Amino acid sequence: MTERESPYDAADIQVLQFDAGVRQRMGMYFGVGREDPRLPARVLCALACHTLHPATKVAAEHTLQTVVEITDDLSLTMVMDQPHAWDGSGAPAQGYFDSLLGPEWWLLAAAAALSDRVTVEMWSAGRGFGQDLVGIRPFSDPRVFESPGGSGTKVALAFDPTHVGPDFVLPTDLENLDVHGLHCSAPIGSGYVLFRDLRHGSAGREVMHR
């Protein structure tokens, strides 16, 4: 095809910011699109897989211990014992749109981009920082709180039906989630993902994946 015949020019190139890209092209992040009934399970699998196979600078594979609490059909909270290596300022580095959620957790950020209310908390060495987001965009400046001890990250998400569709419901079949994916070859380690479904009683139902 000659240059004259090409149907594209510079005006056809659209550069999307991260959150807009996730909402338009969910299949690139979760393997299925907005209208696919498998989307809720794929999102949950992606989050679990991301904590068991984090970025190299975060932790080794199969070492992080994570608890995922499903609080209702559209909301969940994740707590990870992530070891933080903060810079000389003793504070987390700025992430997407200067939020506490950075690209080392890009799949978690992708899920946050599908949410309307997000809270991120990080703590280490006696210091804690928290921030409220709308999607992955800051709603407030980071606030300092007293660290609960140790080192970790907590993220609470409330999915937005505007982004995920009106039929989006987090799955109840937690036993059959694929939390490793096709390319996992690492041996089982000390890490795990514990799902706790709190929708049907205060005690909750627990399912662990290693």
Side-chain angles (χ1 to χ4, degrees):
M1 180 179 290
T2 66
E3 184 175 347
R4 173 175 291 183
E5 294 170 331
S6 174
Y8 302 106
D9 59 28
D12 296 304
I13 300 174
Q14 183 182 19
V15 178
L16 297 174
Q17 293 185 308
F18 180 80
D19 48 356
V22 173
R23 293 165 190 165
Q24 283 197 28
R25 302 165 183 166
M26 292 182 199
M28 293 179 59
Y29 300 88
F30 305 112
V32 296
R34 182 178 186 271
E35 305 303 325
D36 195 304
R38 296 172 294 174
L39 179 63
R42 290 293 183 90
V43 170
L44 204 56
C45 288
L47 293 176
C49 187
H50 203 25
T51 64
L52 287 174
H53 312 90
T56 303
K57 71 176 184 178
V58 172
E61 291 189 355
H62 297 181
T63 60
L64 292 183
Q65 298 178 354
T66 303
V67 176
V68 179
E69 291 190 341
I70 301 173
T71 50
D72 61 47
D73 288 339
L74 288 170
S75 303
L76 61 83
T77 299
M78 299 178 60
V79 182
M80 302 167 282
D81 65 335
Q82 177 189 353
H84 290 292
W86 292 343
D87 59 23
S89 67
Q94 292 181 328
Y96 293 106
F97 304 104
D98 296 332
S99 74
L100 291 180
L101 197 54
E104 70 275 12
W105 289 112
W106 63 276
L107 268 176
L108 181 51
L114 303 179
S115 305
D116 58 356
R117 301 188 312 277
V118 179
T119 301
V120 182
E121 295 181 351
M122 298 179 175
W123 58 92
S124 182
R127 301 192 73 189
F129 298 85
Q131 189 177 39
D132 298 319
L133 314 176
V134 177
I136 57 174
R137 297 176 183 253
F139 181 75
S140 64
D141 292 331
R143 59 185 177 274
V144 178
F145 65 90
E146 185 175 349
S147 170
S151 182
T153 296
K154 178 179 179 179
V155 180
L157 306 173
F159 292 100
D160 186 347
T162 303
H163 301 318
V164 298
D167 299 323
F168 185 99
V169 175
L170 290 168
T172 56
D173 179 11
L174 303 176
E175 288 84 358
N176 295 310
L177 295 175
D178 179 7
V179 301
H180 290 285
L182 296 175
H183 305 293
C184 175
S185 59
I188 299 301
S190 59
Y192 60 79
V193 179
L194 174 65
F195 292 99
R196 185 175 293 138
D197 192 342
L198 303 179
R199 287 173 288 190
H200 308 291
S202 57
R205 183 171 67 90
E206 295 187 347
V207 175
M208 180 178 286
H209 290 266
R210 292 187 176 275

